[in-house]
Amino acid sequence: MLERPNDLRSCSLADAFMTIGGKWKPYIVWYLNTAQNFTMRYGELKRHIPWTISHKMYAQQLHELEDDGIITRHEYMEGNIRVVDYTLTEAGRFLVPAILYLRDWRAVFGGFPDSTLTRTQGSWQDKTISYLCEGIDGSGLEARIEFDVARTLEESLANSEGDAFFEPEI
């Protein structure tokens, strides 16, 4: 047991933030999640990131994600050309619901129009968004995050003059 349980230096939260911290890591995970078989080639993945990123910073972020077990690197030859692919691991796939939640959390609390939530990648049921990830190859692992958007927006709107809550198309 920790002597100081609220000391984040010895907590898994600090390690989690170190793992996903970095300007580009969430985007790398995001775009690998959208790829077929969770895999993209080095250059293709870099082109998906909509901002300019130096080769050095991009390679460093990929290397750190690989070291932390979030992605795997596959290098092989296609004729005379060396090809490098990156794939989300199971651990990386389990980060995705948290990233999706953070995106929608910011849409609600960041001054964005309520209609921004129509772009959610979570699943709507009533006025709750659920984010689900199931383990690979029947591992039995499952992560589910639920966000009661209706209650959050209703409380927010009661305290401001924001948009009226929209009804999502399900």
Side-chain angles (χ1 to χ4, degrees), residues 54-77:
S54 71
H55 168 74
K56 178 182 176 184
M57 182 56 67
Y58 179 57
Q60 178 183 335
Q61 300 276 282
L62 289 169
H63 182 71
E64 290 173 9
L65 286 168
E66 184 181 7
D67 284 349
D68 289 327
I70 305 303
I71 63 174
T72 56
R73 181 180 191 271
H74 307 281
E75 186 176 327
Y76 55 95
M77 297 298 290

PDB file of all heavy atoms in Angstrom, residues 54-77:
ATOM      1  N   SER A  54       7.222  17.598 -37.479  1.00  0.00           N
ATOM      2  CA  SER A  54       8.554  17.282 -37.992  1.00  0.00           C
ATOM      3  C   SER A  54       8.782  15.776 -37.964  1.00  0.00           C
ATOM      4  O   SER A  54       8.191  15.054 -37.149  1.00  0.00           O
ATOM      5  CB  SER A  54       9.628  17.985 -37.157  1.00  0.00           C
ATOM      6  OG  SER A  54       9.731  17.385 -35.876  1.00  0.00           O
ATOM      7  N   HIS A  55       9.652  15.319 -38.838  1.00  0.00           N
ATOM      8  CA  HIS A  55       9.991  13.895 -38.867  1.00  0.00           C
ATOM      9  C   HIS A  55      10.528  13.453 -37.510  1.00  0.00           C
ATOM     10  O   HIS A  55      10.161  12.394 -36.999  1.00  0.00           O
ATOM     11  CB  HIS A  55      11.018  13.617 -39.978  1.00  0.00           C
ATOM     12  CG  HIS A  55      11.619  12.258 -39.878  1.00  0.00           C
ATOM     13  ND1 HIS A  55      10.932  11.120 -40.216  1.00  0.00           N
ATOM     14  CD2 HIS A  55      12.836  11.854 -39.432  1.00  0.00           C
ATOM     15  CE1 HIS A  55      11.697  10.056 -39.994  1.00  0.00           C
ATOM     16  NE2 HIS A  55      12.863  10.487 -39.526  1.00  0.00           N
ATOM     17  N   LYS A  56      11.387  14.277 -36.909  1.00  0.00           N
ATOM     18  CA  LYS A  56      12.002  13.923 -35.626  1.00  0.00           C
ATOM     19  C   LYS A  56      10.939  13.746 -34.535  1.00  0.00           C
ATOM     20  O   LYS A  56      10.957  12.758 -33.792  1.00  0.00           O
ATOM     21  CB  LYS A  56      12.997  15.003 -35.212  1.00  0.00           C
ATOM     22  CG  LYS A  56      13.647  14.749 -33.879  1.00  0.00           C
ATOM     23  CD  LYS A  56      14.595  15.881 -33.491  1.00  0.00           C
ATOM     24  CE  LYS A  56      15.151  15.645 -32.095  1.00  0.00           C
ATOM     25  NZ  LYS A  56      15.997  16.752 -31.655  1.00  0.00           N
ATOM     26  N   MET A  57      10.014  14.691 -34.416  1.00  0.00           N
ATOM     27  CA  MET A  57       8.975  14.620 -33.382  1.00  0.00           C
ATOM     28  C   MET A  57       8.032  13.447 -33.640  1.00  0.00           C
ATOM     29  O   MET A  57       7.654  12.724 -32.721  1.00  0.00           O
ATOM     30  CB  MET A  57       8.193  15.931 -33.324  1.00  0.00           C
ATOM     31  CG  MET A  57       7.126  15.950 -32.250  1.00  0.00           C
ATOM     32  SD  MET A  57       7.715  15.602 -30.573  1.00  0.00           S
ATOM     33  CE  MET A  57       8.717  17.035 -30.267  1.00  0.00           C
ATOM     34  N   TYR A  58       7.660  13.247 -34.895  1.00  0.00           N
ATOM     35  CA  TYR A  58       6.766  12.154 -35.268  1.00  0.00           C
ATOM     36  C   TYR A  58       7.414  10.814 -34.921  1.00  0.00           C
ATOM     37  O   TYR A  58       6.794   9.958 -34.273  1.00  0.00           O
ATOM     38  CB  TYR A  58       6.472  12.261 -36.765  1.00  0.00           C
ATOM     39  CG  TYR A  58       5.577  11.200 -37.341  1.00  0.00           C
ATOM     40  CD1 TYR A  58       4.300  10.973 -36.847  1.00  0.00           C
ATOM     41  CD2 TYR A  58       6.007  10.427 -38.417  1.00  0.00           C
ATOM     42  CE1 TYR A  58       3.475  10.003 -37.407  1.00  0.00           C
ATOM     43  CE2 TYR A  58       5.196   9.464 -38.984  1.00  0.00           C
ATOM     44  CZ  TYR A  58       3.932   9.265 -38.472  1.00  0.00           C
ATOM     45  OH  TYR A  58       3.119   8.309 -39.039  1.00  0.00           O
ATOM     46  N   ALA A  59       8.661  10.632 -35.307  1.00  0.00           N
ATOM     47  CA  ALA A  59       9.374   9.381 -35.021  1.00  0.00           C
ATOM     48  C   ALA A  59       9.513   9.164 -33.516  1.00  0.00           C
ATOM     49  O   ALA A  59       9.365   8.035 -33.026  1.00  0.00           O
ATOM     50  CB  ALA A  59      10.747   9.387 -35.689  1.00  0.00           C
ATOM     51  N   GLN A  60       9.760  10.239 -32.774  1.00  0.00           N
ATOM     52  CA  GLN A  60       9.891  10.126 -31.319  1.00  0.00           C
ATOM     53  C   GLN A  60       8.578   9.687 -30.684  1.00  0.00           C
ATOM     54  O   GLN A  60       8.555   8.808 -29.820  1.00  0.00           O
ATOM     55  CB  GLN A  60      10.334  11.468 -30.727  1.00  0.00           C
ATOM     56  CG  GLN A  60      10.440  11.463 -29.218  1.00  0.00           C
ATOM     57  CD  GLN A  60      10.810  12.832 -28.673  1.00  0.00           C
ATOM     58  OE1 GLN A  60      11.419  13.645 -29.345  1.00  0.00           O
ATOM     59  NE2 GLN A  60      10.434  13.086 -27.436  1.00  0.00           N
ATOM     60  N   GLN A  61       7.465  10.284 -31.112  1.00  0.00           N
ATOM     61  CA  GLN A  61       6.157   9.931 -30.557  1.00  0.00           C
ATOM     62  C   GLN A  61       5.806   8.474 -30.889  1.00  0.00           C
ATOM     63  O   GLN A  61       5.302   7.743 -30.037  1.00  0.00           O
ATOM     64  CB  GLN A  61       5.075  10.873 -31.089  1.00  0.00           C
ATOM     65  CG  GLN A  61       5.297  12.326 -30.748  1.00  0.00           C
ATOM     66  CD  GLN A  61       4.800  12.715 -29.386  1.00  0.00           C
ATOM     67  OE1 GLN A  61       3.607  12.904 -29.187  1.00  0.00           O
ATOM     68  NE2 GLN A  61       5.706  12.862 -28.436  1.00  0.00           N
ATOM     69  N   LEU A  62       6.094   8.051 -32.114  1.00  0.00           N
ATOM     70  CA  LEU A  62       5.856   6.659 -32.493  1.00  0.00           C
ATOM     71  C   LEU A  62       6.704   5.718 -31.644  1.00  0.00           C
ATOM     72  O   LEU A  62       6.204   4.688 -31.158  1.00  0.00           O
ATOM     73  CB  LEU A  62       6.161   6.442 -33.976  1.00  0.00           C
ATOM     74  CG  LEU A  62       5.180   7.058 -34.971  1.00  0.00           C
ATOM     75  CD1 LEU A  62       5.768   7.002 -36.382  1.00  0.00           C
ATOM     76  CD2 LEU A  62       3.831   6.370 -34.919  1.00  0.00           C
ATOM     77  N   HIS A  63       7.947   6.052 -31.462  1.00  0.00           N
ATOM     78  CA  HIS A  63       8.864   5.214 -30.673  1.00  0.00           C
ATOM     79  C   HIS A  63       8.368   5.088 -29.225  1.00  0.00           C
ATOM     80  O   HIS A  63       8.372   3.995 -28.647  1.00  0.00           O
ATOM     81  CB  HIS A  63      10.276   5.794 -30.721  1.00  0.00           C
ATOM     82  CG  HIS A  63      11.282   4.982 -29.986  1.00  0.00           C
ATOM     83  ND1 HIS A  63      11.730   3.752 -30.428  1.00  0.00           N
ATOM     84  CD2 HIS A  63      11.906   5.211 -28.797  1.00  0.00           C
ATOM     85  CE1 HIS A  63      12.595   3.267 -29.552  1.00  0.00           C
ATOM     86  NE2 HIS A  63      12.717   4.132 -28.561  1.00  0.00           N
ATOM     87  N   GLU A  64       7.931   6.204 -28.637  1.00  0.00           N
ATOM     88  CA  GLU A  64       7.423   6.175 -27.259  1.00  0.00           C
ATOM     89  C   GLU A  64       6.156   5.333 -27.153  1.00  0.00           C
ATOM     90  O   GLU A  64       5.999   4.570 -26.197  1.00  0.00           O
ATOM     91  CB  GLU A  64       7.179   7.592 -26.751  1.00  0.00           C
ATOM     92  CG  GLU A  64       8.463   8.367 -26.517  1.00  0.00           C
ATOM     93  CD  GLU A  64       8.235   9.834 -26.169  1.00  0.00           C
ATOM     94  OE1 GLU A  64       7.071  10.238 -25.938  1.00  0.00           O
ATOM     95  OE2 GLU A  64       9.226  10.587 -26.118  1.00  0.00           O
ATOM     96  N   LEU A  65       5.261   5.466 -28.122  1.00  0.00           N
ATOM     97  CA  LEU A  65       4.038   4.644 -28.112  1.00  0.00           C
ATOM     98  C   LEU A  65       4.383   3.162 -28.255  1.00  0.00           C
ATOM     99  O   LEU A  65       3.758   2.306 -27.636  1.00  0.00           O
ATOM    100  CB  LEU A  65       3.082   5.086 -29.223  1.00  0.00           C
ATOM    101  CG  LEU A  65       2.339   6.399 -28.982  1.00  0.00           C
ATOM    102  CD1 LEU A  65       1.651   6.866 -30.263  1.00  0.00           C
ATOM    103  CD2 LEU A  65       1.332   6.265 -27.845  1.00  0.00           C
ATOM    104  N   GLU A  66       5.373   2.875 -29.072  1.00  0.00           N
ATOM    105  CA  GLU A  66       5.814   1.485 -29.236  1.00  0.00           C
ATOM    106  C   GLU A  66       6.431   0.963 -27.934  1.00  0.00           C
ATOM    107  O   GLU A  66       6.106  -0.137 -27.483  1.00  0.00           O
ATOM    108  CB  GLU A  66       6.825   1.392 -30.377  1.00  0.00           C
ATOM    109  CG  GLU A  66       7.269  -0.019 -30.676  1.00  0.00           C
ATOM    110  CD  GLU A  66       8.289  -0.082 -31.797  1.00  0.00           C
ATOM    111  OE1 GLU A  66       8.770   0.974 -32.268  1.00  0.00           O
ATOM    112  OE2 GLU A  66       8.614  -1.215 -32.187  1.00  0.00           O
ATOM    113  N   ASP A  67       7.290   1.750 -27.306  1.00  0.00           N
ATOM    114  CA  ASP A  67       7.904   1.352 -26.038  1.00  0.00           C
ATOM    115  C   ASP A  67       6.866   1.095 -24.952  1.00  0.00           C
ATOM    116  O   ASP A  67       7.056   0.232 -24.093  1.00  0.00           O
ATOM    117  CB  ASP A  67       8.892   2.415 -25.544  1.00  0.00           C
ATOM    118  CG  ASP A  67      10.211   2.400 -26.297  1.00  0.00           C
ATOM    119  OD1 ASP A  67      10.468   1.442 -27.065  1.00  0.00           O
ATOM    120  OD2 ASP A  67      10.985   3.363 -26.120  1.00  0.00           O
ATOM    121  N   ASP A  68       5.775   1.854 -24.990  1.00  0.00           N
ATOM    122  CA  ASP A  68       4.729   1.715 -23.980  1.00  0.00           C
ATOM    123  C   ASP A  68       3.683   0.653 -24.333  1.00  0.00           C
ATOM    124  O   ASP A  68       2.702   0.488 -23.609  1.00  0.00           O
ATOM    125  CB  ASP A  68       4.040   3.061 -23.734  1.00  0.00           C
ATOM    126  CG  ASP A  68       4.945   4.039 -22.992  1.00  0.00           C
ATOM    127  OD1 ASP A  68       5.755   3.587 -22.151  1.00  0.00           O
ATOM    128  OD2 ASP A  68       4.842   5.254 -23.246  1.00  0.00           O
ATOM    129  N   GLY A  69       3.877  -0.038 -25.452  1.00  0.00           N
ATOM    130  CA  GLY A  69       2.976  -1.123 -25.815  1.00  0.00           C
ATOM    131  C   GLY A  69       1.646  -0.688 -26.401  1.00  0.00           C
ATOM    132  O   GLY A  69       0.704  -1.476 -26.464  1.00  0.00           O
ATOM    133  N   ILE A  70       1.564   0.555 -26.870  1.00  0.00           N
ATOM    134  CA  ILE A  70       0.315   1.077 -27.445  1.00  0.00           C
ATOM    135  C   ILE A  70       0.224   0.741 -28.935  1.00  0.00           C
ATOM    136  O   ILE A  70      -0.857   0.509 -29.459  1.00  0.00           O
ATOM    137  CB  ILE A  70       0.218   2.604 -27.232  1.00  0.00           C
ATOM    138  CG1 ILE A  70       0.362   2.954 -25.743  1.00  0.00           C
ATOM    139  CG2 ILE A  70      -1.071   3.167 -27.814  1.00  0.00           C
ATOM    140  CD1 ILE A  70      -0.640   2.278 -24.838  1.00  0.00           C
ATOM    141  N   ILE A  71       1.362   0.714 -29.608  1.00  0.00           N
ATOM    142  CA  ILE A  71       1.412   0.350 -31.019  1.00  0.00           C
ATOM    143  C   ILE A  71       2.545  -0.646 -31.231  1.00  0.00           C
ATOM    144  O   ILE A  71       3.442  -0.774 -30.391  1.00  0.00           O
ATOM    145  CB  ILE A  71       1.623   1.582 -31.939  1.00  0.00           C
ATOM    146  CG1 ILE A  71       2.972   2.255 -31.663  1.00  0.00           C
ATOM    147  CG2 ILE A  71       0.462   2.557 -31.814  1.00  0.00           C
ATOM    148  CD1 ILE A  71       3.309   3.400 -32.625  1.00  0.00           C
ATOM    149  N   THR A  72       2.474  -1.356 -32.342  1.00  0.00           N
ATOM    150  CA  THR A  72       3.589  -2.202 -32.757  1.00  0.00           C
ATOM    151  C   THR A  72       4.090  -1.697 -34.103  1.00  0.00           C
ATOM    152  O   THR A  72       3.335  -1.129 -34.894  1.00  0.00           O
ATOM    153  CB  THR A  72       3.192  -3.688 -32.893  1.00  0.00           C
ATOM    154  OG1 THR A  72       2.105  -3.797 -33.804  1.00  0.00           O
ATOM    155  CG2 THR A  72       2.814  -4.277 -31.551  1.00  0.00           C
ATOM    156  N   ARG A  73       5.371  -1.913 -34.331  1.00  0.00           N
ATOM    157  CA  ARG A  73       6.025  -1.494 -35.571  1.00  0.00           C
ATOM    158  C   ARG A  73       6.376  -2.755 -36.349  1.00  0.00           C
ATOM    159  O   ARG A  73       6.965  -3.682 -35.807  1.00  0.00           O
ATOM    160  CB  ARG A  73       7.297  -0.723 -35.221  1.00  0.00           C
ATOM    161  CG  ARG A  73       8.067  -0.212 -36.399  1.00  0.00           C
ATOM    162  CD  ARG A  73       9.310   0.535 -35.878  1.00  0.00           C
ATOM    163  NE  ARG A  73       9.970   1.278 -36.909  1.00  0.00           N
ATOM    164  CZ  ARG A  73      10.929   0.793 -37.690  1.00  0.00           C
ATOM    165  NH1 ARG A  73      11.347  -0.448 -37.535  1.00  0.00           N
ATOM    166  NH2 ARG A  73      11.476   1.553 -38.619  1.00  0.00           N
ATOM    167  N   HIS A  74       5.990  -2.777 -37.620  1.00  0.00           N
ATOM    168  CA  HIS A  74       6.291  -3.909 -38.502  1.00  0.00           C
ATOM    169  C   HIS A  74       7.111  -3.376 -39.674  1.00  0.00           C
ATOM    170  O   HIS A  74       6.639  -2.505 -40.405  1.00  0.00           O
ATOM    171  CB  HIS A  74       5.003  -4.553 -39.024  1.00  0.00           C
ATOM    172  CG  HIS A  74       4.049  -4.938 -37.940  1.00  0.00           C
ATOM    173  ND1 HIS A  74       4.191  -6.078 -37.191  1.00  0.00           N
ATOM    174  CD2 HIS A  74       2.943  -4.314 -37.475  1.00  0.00           C
ATOM    175  CE1 HIS A  74       3.214  -6.142 -36.314  1.00  0.00           C
ATOM    176  NE2 HIS A  74       2.437  -5.082 -36.460  1.00  0.00           N
ATOM    177  N   GLU A  75       8.296  -3.892 -39.831  1.00  0.00           N
ATOM    178  CA  GLU A  75       9.170  -3.478 -40.930  1.00  0.00           C
ATOM    179  C   GLU A  75       9.376  -4.679 -41.850  1.00  0.00           C
ATOM    180  O   GLU A  75       9.665  -5.777 -41.382  1.00  0.00           O
ATOM    181  CB  GLU A  75      10.515  -3.012 -40.365  1.00  0.00           C
ATOM    182  CG  GLU A  75      11.430  -2.429 -41.391  1.00  0.00           C
ATOM    183  CD  GLU A  75      12.710  -1.883 -40.762  1.00  0.00           C
ATOM    184  OE1 GLU A  75      12.672  -1.398 -39.616  1.00  0.00           O
ATOM    185  OE2 GLU A  75      13.741  -1.955 -41.449  1.00  0.00           O
ATOM    186  N   TYR A  76       9.216  -4.455 -43.163  1.00  0.00           N
ATOM    187  CA  TYR A  76       9.399  -5.526 -44.133  1.00  0.00           C
ATOM    188  C   TYR A  76       9.766  -4.926 -45.480  1.00  0.00           C
ATOM    189  O   TYR A  76       9.673  -3.714 -45.673  1.00  0.00           O
ATOM    190  CB  TYR A  76       8.143  -6.406 -44.230  1.00  0.00           C
ATOM    191  CG  TYR A  76       6.874  -5.646 -44.544  1.00  0.00           C
ATOM    192  CD1 TYR A  76       6.422  -5.530 -45.860  1.00  0.00           C
ATOM    193  CD2 TYR A  76       6.124  -5.039 -43.537  1.00  0.00           C
ATOM    194  CE1 TYR A  76       5.267  -4.838 -46.149  1.00  0.00           C
ATOM    195  CE2 TYR A  76       4.963  -4.350 -43.825  1.00  0.00           C
ATOM    196  CZ  TYR A  76       4.533  -4.252 -45.129  1.00  0.00           C
ATOM    197  OH  TYR A  76       3.396  -3.560 -45.423  1.00  0.00           O
ATOM    198  N   MET A  77      10.176  -5.790 -46.390  1.00  0.00           N
ATOM    199  CA  MET A  77      10.588  -5.343 -47.724  1.00  0.00           C
ATOM    200  C   MET A  77       9.476  -5.655 -48.730  1.00  0.00           C
ATOM    201  O   MET A  77       8.880  -6.727 -48.682  1.00  0.00           O
ATOM    202  CB  MET A  77      11.877  -6.034 -48.160  1.00  0.00           C
ATOM    203  CG  MET A  77      13.085  -5.713 -47.283  1.00  0.00           C
ATOM    204  SD  MET A  77      13.541  -3.967 -47.283  1.00  0.00           S
ATOM    205  CE  MET A  77      14.191  -3.768 -48.931  1.00  0.00           C
TER     206      MET A  77
END
